[in-house]
Amino acid sequence: MNVFSAFKANVEKEIEFLVANGDLPNGTDTSRISVELPRDPSHGDLSTNAAMVLAKPAGLETRDLAETIAERLLTVESVESAEVAGPGFINLRLANNFWFQQLDNILKAGTAYGQSDLGQNRAVNVEYVSANPTGPLHVGHARGSVVGDVLASLLAKAGFAVTREYYINDAGGQIDALARSAFLRYREALGENIGGIPEGLYPGDYLKPVGQELADREGDKWRDAEEAQWLPFVREFSVAAMLDLIRNDLDALGIRHDFFSSERELVEAGAVDKVMETLQADDLLYVGTLEPPKGKLPDDWEERPQMLFKASKYGDDTDRPVKKSDGSWTYFASDLAYHQDKYRRGFPIMIDVWGADHGGYVKRVSAGINALTGGEGKLDVKLCQMVRLLENGEPAKMSKRSGTFVTLRDLVDAVGKDVVRFIMLTRKNDAPLDFDLVKVREQSRDNPVFYVQYAHARCHSVGNMAREAFPDADLTTEGLRRADLTRLTESDELALIRSLAAWPRMVEAAAEAHEPHRLAFYLYDLAASFHALWSKAREEPGLRFVIADDEELTRGRMALVRAVQTVIASGLEVMGVTPVDELRE
RNA sequence: GCGCUCGUAGCUCAGUAGGAUAGAGCGCGGGAUUCCUAAUCCCGAGGUCGCAGGUUCGAAUCCUGCCGGGCGCACCA
């Protein structure tokens, strides 16, 4: 519950009264009523569109109705004034005590503030990272990882029962290529000169230790064996090694999944065959010939009949192949099995985080889920655009240990986990992101990580100052709850409380929209308000948080500072960023 | 050619459930500054929200068409 929905309930109650009173017709629909923060603070504390939404269906004049509603709203507790403005908004001014109560709520709840029951404990599955287990994660994965992880935390904060899932694509041809690459490194470890790594295999050095370990454990027993003999073993061994590598990388970013789902296991358990039987039974499979793609024709295009899924029946542009030319299932086929499995494990709400280059894939998977769950399963795919690494505006020339790309590990080593996590959320997921390795270490206002962390540190530091000024005062959070908040009379202070009180609503809105980046922007704005108040006190000493000869006022203001600190910490917690108490080097 | 996605200040981007006079940072112009914790602060200029229609009491936001950028486009994952 947040102040807005709480007040909406009040408005609805008064509308019911007006209906009972005959001022509004029976069956008046209140669902479109909203209670908002007015854009311009001088308009009041809260604002509702009730009259504008209800007037027309009721056949009433908007402003007349607004006056009627406004009059009723005056009877609501804490409402000091209700004025009709503009095209029919009702602006409410609330007693300061209302806001002091919000402040106390923050201190009482601590960083749990903002926790919501919006999700009603409904199960949500967030699948993210899901990189092929063929090598270390790179910078692009870092973005999807953070977006997925924070979205999961956000949903948990909003009251959903969240499962974080990683789908291991360990069944395709790229895994054989991995095994062959590892086998080469194995022969190399046994002293053989392997020359260059052939085209199509993975050249990265990260496979050297895998080859070495194979040699250490297996000796030369596989060296002269046929591929068919060593492949299964080496495949399993190297996939396990790659997953360890990936898990390590994710650990460095503070990411841990609840569930790892293996494509290979699904396939081996016959899940794909079963899903195809289901589709067959529903008459959704047929053998047909697809039109060649328009535009550039692939070199090896050949027209041939294929087994197709009727994706077009569920909103896709065309039907989609489920079998390859060699008779094996396509990746899409196992993806259908995977999502069906996920649904059956109890997740009607599924969120997948993918790279934007997979955008063309969304419709067919949604179509598949639709077909397989009778429309019950809902998939939302978050597509993440590219990350461009820069150094002072120039393309970064970071050392590339992997040989071909900058790894997630390189990035975390260079700037730290917290910076990576925060910066990855400073853009909407579907907008390209510039990550400037130099700027993110700057201590200035245009570095959002620093700016937000600094606000938190400054709160902490103000606490120290207050303790020095009043060594005997009770400045614990519990103690501050007994401070005389009515001493907070400055408009800037009250404005700050309003921003803080918007946090629970922010959590709910961001969770509903599946947009974790909103957290970063909210925290930046909050930090800016706090810094602004601080700066203002340089010119107006009466605004300072610590007032030497007024302990009670200082305690009131410390309650506000503690609340700012708490909400920032709460936000950073959701983002998986550690709040710092000081920034001194 | 089709699909997805984006198009907001000179630049990089927000815009909270369709709400009031569209915001921030950088840059630019002007001013303040031995300051409770420094990493500055304040003020100002700057906009046809890509274009054109439509829905609505009300559109940057929803719908349609066009223009422009990015991504993808049988079987690879």
Side-chain angles (χ1 to χ4, degrees), chain A residues 468-508:
Chain A
E468 274 175 36
F470 300 102
D472 301 325
D474 185 352
L475 298 176
T476 63
T477 301
E478 263 317 296
L480 290 176
R481 289 188 63 199
R482 292 187 294 273
D484 181 9
L485 298 179
T486 64
R487 297 294 303 277
L488 297 174
T489 53
E490 297 290 339
S491 61
D492 289 320
E493 293 168 343
L494 289 162
L496 200 48
I497 300 176
R498 286 188 201 106
S499 304
L500 294 172
W503 169 238
R505 151 73 169 255
M506 173 61 50
V507 169
E508 292 182 353

CSV table of all heavy atoms in Angstrom, one decimal, chain A residues 468-508:
chain,number,residue,atom,x,y,z
A,468,GLU,N,28.5,14.5,17.6
A,468,GLU,CA,29.5,15.4,18.2
A,468,GLU,C,28.9,16.6,18.9
A,468,GLU,O,29.3,16.9,20.0
A,468,GLU,CB,30.5,15.8,17.2
A,468,GLU,CG,31.7,14.9,16.9
A,468,GLU,CD,32.5,15.3,15.8
A,468,GLU,OE1,32.8,16.5,15.6
A,468,GLU,OE2,33.0,14.4,15.0
A,469,ALA,N,27.9,17.1,18.2
A,469,ALA,CA,27.3,18.3,18.8
A,469,ALA,C,26.5,18.0,20.0
A,469,ALA,O,26.4,18.8,21.0
A,469,ALA,CB,26.4,19.0,17.7
A,470,PHE,N,25.8,16.8,20.0
A,470,PHE,CA,25.0,16.5,21.1
A,470,PHE,C,25.3,15.0,21.6
A,470,PHE,O,24.6,14.1,21.3
A,470,PHE,CB,23.5,16.5,20.7
A,470,PHE,CG,23.1,17.9,20.3
A,470,PHE,CD1,22.9,18.2,18.9
A,470,PHE,CD2,22.8,18.9,21.2
A,470,PHE,CE1,22.6,19.4,18.5
A,470,PHE,CE2,22.4,20.2,20.8
A,470,PHE,CZ,22.3,20.4,19.4
A,471,PRO,N,26.4,14.9,22.3
A,471,PRO,CA,26.9,13.6,22.7
A,471,PRO,C,25.8,12.8,23.5
A,471,PRO,O,25.9,11.6,23.5
A,471,PRO,CB,28.1,13.9,23.6
A,471,PRO,CG,28.5,15.3,23.3
A,471,PRO,CD,27.2,16.0,22.9
A,472,ASP,N,25.0,13.5,24.2
A,472,ASP,CA,24.0,12.8,25.1
A,472,ASP,C,22.7,12.5,24.4
A,472,ASP,O,21.8,11.8,25.0
A,472,ASP,CB,23.8,13.6,26.4
A,472,ASP,CG,25.1,13.8,27.1
A,472,ASP,OD1,26.0,12.9,27.0
A,472,ASP,OD2,25.3,14.9,27.7
A,473,ALA,N,22.5,13.0,23.2
A,473,ALA,CA,21.2,12.9,22.5
A,473,ALA,C,21.0,11.4,22.0
A,473,ALA,O,22.0,10.8,21.6
A,473,ALA,CB,21.1,13.9,21.4
A,474,ASP,N,19.8,11.0,22.0
A,474,ASP,CA,19.5,9.7,21.5
A,474,ASP,C,19.3,9.8,20.0
A,474,ASP,O,18.3,10.3,19.5
A,474,ASP,CB,18.2,9.1,22.1
A,474,ASP,CG,18.0,7.7,21.7
A,474,ASP,OD1,18.7,7.2,20.8
A,474,ASP,OD2,17.1,7.0,22.2
A,475,LEU,N,20.3,9.4,19.2
A,475,LEU,CA,20.2,9.5,17.8
A,475,LEU,C,20.1,8.2,17.1
A,475,LEU,O,20.2,8.1,15.9
A,475,LEU,CB,21.5,10.3,17.2
A,475,LEU,CG,21.7,11.7,17.8
A,475,LEU,CD1,23.0,12.3,17.3
A,475,LEU,CD2,20.5,12.6,17.4
A,476,THR,N,19.7,7.2,17.8
A,476,THR,CA,19.4,5.9,17.2
A,476,THR,C,18.1,6.1,16.4
A,476,THR,O,17.4,7.0,16.7
A,476,THR,CB,19.2,4.8,18.2
A,476,THR,OG1,18.1,5.2,19.0
A,476,THR,CG2,20.4,4.6,19.1
A,477,THR,N,17.9,5.2,15.5
A,477,THR,CA,16.7,5.3,14.7
A,477,THR,C,15.5,5.2,15.6
A,477,THR,O,14.5,6.0,15.4
A,477,THR,CB,16.7,4.2,13.6
A,477,THR,OG1,17.8,4.4,12.8
A,477,THR,CG2,15.4,4.4,12.7
A,478,GLU,N,15.5,4.3,16.6
A,478,GLU,CA,14.4,4.2,17.5
A,478,GLU,C,14.2,5.6,18.2
A,478,GLU,O,13.1,6.1,18.4
A,478,GLU,CB,14.7,3.1,18.5
A,478,GLU,CG,14.0,1.8,18.2
A,478,GLU,CD,12.6,2.0,17.7
A,478,GLU,OE1,11.7,2.4,18.5
A,478,GLU,OE2,12.3,1.6,16.5
A,479,GLY,N,15.3,6.1,18.7
A,479,GLY,CA,15.3,7.4,19.4
A,479,GLY,C,14.7,8.5,18.5
A,479,GLY,O,13.9,9.4,19.0
A,480,LEU,N,15.1,8.5,17.3
A,480,LEU,CA,14.7,9.6,16.4
A,480,LEU,C,13.2,9.5,16.1
A,480,LEU,O,12.5,10.5,15.7
A,480,LEU,CB,15.4,9.5,15.0
A,480,LEU,CG,16.9,9.9,15.2
A,480,LEU,CD1,17.6,9.7,13.8
A,480,LEU,CD2,17.0,11.4,15.6
A,481,ARG,N,12.6,8.3,16.3
A,481,ARG,CA,11.2,8.2,16.1
A,481,ARG,C,10.4,9.0,17.2
A,481,ARG,O,9.2,9.3,17.0
A,481,ARG,CB,10.7,6.7,16.2
A,481,ARG,CG,11.2,5.9,14.9
A,481,ARG,CD,10.6,4.6,14.9
A,481,ARG,NE,9.1,4.6,14.8
A,481,ARG,CZ,8.3,3.6,15.2
A,481,ARG,NH1,8.9,2.5,15.6
A,481,ARG,NH2,7.0,3.7,15.1
A,482,ARG,N,11.1,9.3,18.3
A,482,ARG,CA,10.4,10.1,19.3
A,482,ARG,C,10.8,11.6,19.2
A,482,ARG,O,10.4,12.4,20.0
A,482,ARG,CB,10.9,9.6,20.7
A,482,ARG,CG,10.4,8.2,21.0
A,482,ARG,CD,10.6,7.7,22.4
A,482,ARG,NE,12.1,7.6,22.7
A,482,ARG,CZ,12.8,6.5,22.4
A,482,ARG,NH1,12.1,5.4,22.0
A,482,ARG,NH2,14.1,6.4,22.7
A,483,ALA,N,11.5,11.9,18.1
A,483,ALA,CA,11.8,13.3,17.9
A,483,ALA,C,10.6,14.1,17.6
A,483,ALA,O,9.6,13.6,17.1
A,483,ALA,CB,12.9,13.5,16.8
A,484,ASP,N,10.7,15.4,17.9
A,484,ASP,CA,9.5,16.3,17.6
A,484,ASP,C,9.5,16.7,16.1
A,484,ASP,O,10.2,17.7,15.7
A,484,ASP,CB,9.6,17.5,18.5
A,484,ASP,CG,8.4,18.4,18.3
A,484,ASP,OD1,7.5,18.0,17.6
A,484,ASP,OD2,8.4,19.5,18.8
A,485,LEU,N,8.8,15.9,15.3
A,485,LEU,CA,8.8,16.2,13.9
A,485,LEU,C,8.1,17.5,13.5
A,485,LEU,O,8.3,18.0,12.4
A,485,LEU,CB,8.2,15.0,13.1
A,485,LEU,CG,8.9,13.7,13.3
A,485,LEU,CD1,8.2,12.6,12.5
A,485,LEU,CD2,10.3,13.8,12.9
A,486,THR,N,7.3,18.0,14.4
A,486,THR,CA,6.6,19.2,14.0
A,486,THR,C,7.6,20.4,13.9
A,486,THR,O,7.2,21.5,13.4
A,486,THR,CB,5.6,19.6,15.1
A,486,THR,OG1,6.2,19.9,16.3
A,486,THR,CG2,4.5,18.5,15.3
A,487,ARG,N,8.8,20.2,14.3
A,487,ARG,CA,9.8,21.2,14.1
A,487,ARG,C,10.3,21.3,12.6
A,487,ARG,O,11.0,22.2,12.2
A,487,ARG,CB,11.1,20.9,15.0
A,487,ARG,CG,10.8,21.0,16.5
A,487,ARG,CD,10.4,22.4,16.9
A,487,ARG,NE,11.4,23.4,16.6
A,487,ARG,CZ,12.4,23.7,17.4
A,487,ARG,NH1,12.7,23.0,18.5
A,487,ARG,NH2,13.3,24.6,17.0
A,488,LEU,N,9.9,20.3,11.8
A,488,LEU,CA,10.2,20.3,10.4
A,488,LEU,C,9.2,21.2,9.7
A,488,LEU,O,8.1,20.7,9.3
A,488,LEU,CB,10.2,18.9,9.8
A,488,LEU,CG,11.2,17.9,10.4
A,488,LEU,CD1,11.0,16.5,9.9
A,488,LEU,CD2,12.6,18.4,10.1
A,489,THR,N,9.5,22.4,9.5
A,489,THR,CA,8.5,23.3,9.0
A,489,THR,C,9.0,23.9,7.6
A,489,THR,O,8.2,24.6,6.9
A,489,THR,CB,8.2,24.5,9.9
A,489,THR,OG1,9.5,25.1,10.3
A,489,THR,CG2,7.6,24.0,11.2
A,490,GLU,N,10.2,23.7,7.3
A,490,GLU,CA,10.7,24.3,6.0
A,490,GLU,C,10.1,23.6,4.8
A,490,GLU,O,9.9,22.4,4.8
A,490,GLU,CB,12.2,24.1,6.0
A,490,GLU,CG,13.0,24.8,7.0
A,490,GLU,CD,12.9,26.4,6.9
A,490,GLU,OE1,12.7,26.8,5.7
A,490,GLU,OE2,13.2,27.1,7.8
A,491,SER,N,9.8,24.4,3.8
A,491,SER,CA,9.1,23.7,2.7
A,491,SER,C,10.0,22.7,2.0
A,491,SER,O,9.5,21.7,1.4
A,491,SER,CB,8.6,24.8,1.7
A,491,SER,OG,9.8,25.5,1.2
A,492,ASP,N,11.3,23.0,2.0
A,492,ASP,CA,12.2,22.0,1.4
A,492,ASP,C,12.2,20.7,2.1
A,492,ASP,O,12.4,19.6,1.5
A,492,ASP,CB,13.6,22.6,1.3
A,492,ASP,CG,13.8,23.8,0.3
A,492,ASP,OD1,13.2,23.6,-0.7
A,492,ASP,OD2,14.4,24.8,0.7
A,493,GLU,N,12.1,20.8,3.4
A,493,GLU,CA,12.1,19.6,4.2
A,493,GLU,C,10.8,18.8,3.9
A,493,GLU,O,10.9,17.6,3.7
A,493,GLU,CB,12.1,19.9,5.7
A,493,GLU,CG,13.5,20.6,6.1
A,493,GLU,CD,13.5,21.2,7.5
A,493,GLU,OE1,12.4,21.4,8.1
A,493,GLU,OE2,14.6,21.4,8.0
A,494,LEU,N,9.7,19.5,3.9
A,494,LEU,CA,8.5,18.8,3.6
A,494,LEU,C,8.5,18.2,2.2
A,494,LEU,O,8.0,17.1,1.9
A,494,LEU,CB,7.3,19.7,3.8
A,494,LEU,CG,7.0,20.1,5.2
A,494,LEU,CD1,6.2,21.3,5.4
A,494,LEU,CD2,6.4,18.9,5.9
A,495,ALA,N,9.1,18.9,1.2
A,495,ALA,CA,9.2,18.4,-0.1
A,495,ALA,C,10.0,17.1,-0.2
A,495,ALA,O,9.7,16.2,-0.9
A,495,ALA,CB,9.8,19.5,-1.0
A,496,LEU,N,11.0,17.1,0.6
A,496,LEU,CA,11.9,15.9,0.7
A,496,LEU,C,11.1,14.7,1.3
A,496,LEU,O,11.2,13.6,0.8
A,496,LEU,CB,13.1,16.2,1.6
A,496,LEU,CG,14.4,15.4,1.4
A,496,LEU,CD1,14.7,15.1,0.0
A,496,LEU,CD2,15.5,16.0,2.2
A,497,ILE,N,10.3,15.0,2.3
A,497,ILE,CA,9.5,13.9,2.8
A,497,ILE,C,8.5,13.4,1.7
A,497,ILE,O,8.3,12.2,1.6
A,497,ILE,CB,8.7,14.4,4.0
A,497,ILE,CG1,9.6,14.9,5.1
A,497,ILE,CG2,7.8,13.2,4.6
A,497,ILE,CD1,8.9,15.4,6.3
A,498,ARG,N,8.0,14.3,1.0
A,498,ARG,CA,7.1,13.8,-0.1
A,498,ARG,C,7.8,12.9,-1.1
A,498,ARG,O,7.2,11.9,-1.6
A,498,ARG,CB,6.5,15.0,-0.9
A,498,ARG,CG,5.4,15.7,-0.1
A,498,ARG,CD,4.7,16.8,-0.9
A,498,ARG,NE,4.1,17.7,0.0
A,498,ARG,CZ,4.5,19.0,0.2
A,498,ARG,NH1,5.6,19.4,-0.4
A,498,ARG,NH2,3.9,19.7,1.1
A,499,SER,N,9.0,13.3,-1.4
A,499,SER,CA,9.8,12.4,-2.4
A,499,SER,C,10.0,11.1,-1.8
A,499,SER,O,9.9,10.0,-2.4
A,499,SER,CB,11.1,13.1,-2.7
A,499,SER,OG,10.9,14.4,-3.2
A,500,LEU,N,10.3,11.1,-0.5
A,500,LEU,CA,10.6,9.8,0.2
A,500,LEU,C,9.3,8.9,0.2
A,500,LEU,O,9.4,7.7,0.0
A,500,LEU,CB,11.0,10.0,1.6
A,500,LEU,CG,12.4,10.7,1.8
A,500,LEU,CD1,12.6,11.1,3.3
A,500,LEU,CD2,13.5,9.8,1.3
A,501,ALA,N,8.2,9.6,0.4
A,501,ALA,CA,6.9,8.8,0.5
A,501,ALA,C,6.5,8.3,-0.8
A,501,ALA,O,5.6,7.4,-0.9
A,501,ALA,CB,5.8,9.7,1.1
A,502,ALA,N,7.1,8.8,-1.9
A,502,ALA,CA,6.8,8.2,-3.2
A,502,ALA,C,7.5,6.9,-3.5
A,502,ALA,O,7.2,6.3,-4.5
A,502,ALA,CB,7.2,9.3,-4.3
A,503,TRP,N,8.4,6.6,-2.7
A,503,TRP,CA,9.2,5.3,-2.9
A,503,TRP,C,8.4,4.1,-3.0
A,503,TRP,O,8.6,3.3,-4.0
A,503,TRP,CB,10.3,5.2,-1.9
A,503,TRP,CG,11.1,3.9,-1.8
A,503,TRP,CD1,11.2,3.1,-0.8
A,503,TRP,CD2,11.8,3.3,-2.9
A,503,TRP,NE1,11.9,2.0,-1.1
A,503,TRP,CE2,12.4,2.1,-2.4
A,503,TRP,CE3,12.1,3.7,-4.2
A,503,TRP,CZ2,13.2,1.3,-3.1
A,503,TRP,CZ3,12.9,2.8,-4.9
A,503,TRP,CH2,13.4,1.6,-4.4
A,504,PRO,N,7.5,3.8,-2.1
A,504,PRO,CA,6.7,2.6,-2.3
A,504,PRO,C,5.9,2.5,-3.6
A,504,PRO,O,5.8,1.5,-4.3
A,504,PRO,CB,5.7,2.6,-1.1
A,504,PRO,CG,6.3,3.5,-0.1
A,504,PRO,CD,7.1,4.5,-0.9
A,505,ARG,N,5.4,3.7,-4.0
A,505,ARG,CA,4.7,3.7,-5.3
A,505,ARG,C,5.6,3.5,-6.4
A,505,ARG,O,5.3,2.8,-7.4
A,505,ARG,CB,4.0,5.1,-5.3
A,505,ARG,CG,3.8,5.7,-6.7
A,505,ARG,CD,2.7,4.9,-7.5
A,505,ARG,NE,2.4,5.7,-8.7
A,505,ARG,CZ,1.3,6.4,-8.8
A,505,ARG,NH1,0.5,6.5,-7.8
A,505,ARG,NH2,1.1,7.1,-9.9
A,506,MET,N,6.8,4.0,-6.3
A,506,MET,CA,7.9,3.8,-7.4
A,506,MET,C,8.1,2.3,-7.5
A,506,MET,O,8.2,1.8,-8.6
A,506,MET,CB,9.1,4.5,-6.9
A,506,MET,CG,10.3,4.3,-7.8
A,506,MET,SD,10.1,4.8,-9.5
A,506,MET,CE,9.5,6.5,-9.2
A,507,VAL,N,8.3,1.6,-6.4
A,507,VAL,CA,8.5,0.2,-6.4
A,507,VAL,C,7.4,-0.5,-7.2
A,507,VAL,O,7.6,-1.3,-8.1
A,507,VAL,CB,8.7,-0.4,-5.0
A,507,VAL,CG1,8.7,-1.9,-5.0
A,507,VAL,CG2,9.9,0.2,-4.4
A,508,GLU,N,6.2,-0.2,-6.8
A,508,GLU,CA,5.0,-0.9,-7.5
A,508,GLU,C,5.0,-0.6,-9.0
A,508,GLU,O,4.8,-1.5,-9.8
A,508,GLU,CB,3.7,-0.5,-6.8
A,508,GLU,CG,3.7,-1.0,-5.3
A,508,GLU,CD,2.3,-0.6,-4.7
A,508,GLU,OE1,1.6,0.2,-5.3
A,508,GLU,OE2,2.1,-1.1,-3.5
